[in-house]
Amino acid sequence: MELNEKILVADTLTGINGELIRYAEMIPQTEHKELKTTLKQFRNACEQSQEELYQIAREKAYYVPAQTADKDDIDHVKSLFSKSCGCK
């Protein structure tokens, strides 16, 4: 089976997104300041890679984003999160 560029980009994005999830789980669980800082640096680099690859995928039409949410939808989601976490 021949892999094409679109499949490789999608697979790489999936892998990067998985890494981001792992960093999100690990960072708040460590009390070691140096380790926490290192994990945050890795996460930030990973986010940068994800954004760059995402832009390439959009330029090549490998990824078409969902329709932009309207203000009412955004406000609704914000209200749900602010109620659940007690933040504003």
Side-chain angles (χ1 to χ4, degrees), residues 26-88:
M26 290 186 286
I27 290 169
Q29 293 180 20
T30 184
E31 293 183 20
H32 191 280
K33 283 187 177 193
E34 191 173 330
L35 176 58
K36 187 176 284 225
T37 298
T38 300
L39 290 171
K40 286 178 181 179
Q41 290 169 346
F42 287 161
R43 181 203 57 206
N44 292 345
C46 194
E47 286 176 346
Q48 182 65 38
S49 295
Q50 192 271 355
E51 180 62 28
E52 290 170 8
L53 197 53
Y54 167 76
Q55 291 302 327
I56 291 168
R58 288 209 48 203
E59 288 168 10
K60 294 184 175 237
Y62 295 163
Y63 174 79
V64 178
Q67 181 179 345
T68 304
D70 64 29
K71 184 175 179 350
D72 290 338
D73 290 335
I74 294 169
D75 290 342
H76 176 71
V77 171
K78 281 182 181 179
S79 73
L80 293 174
F81 279 98
S82 65
K83 289 176 187 175
S84 68
C85 73
C87 51
K88 294 187 180 192

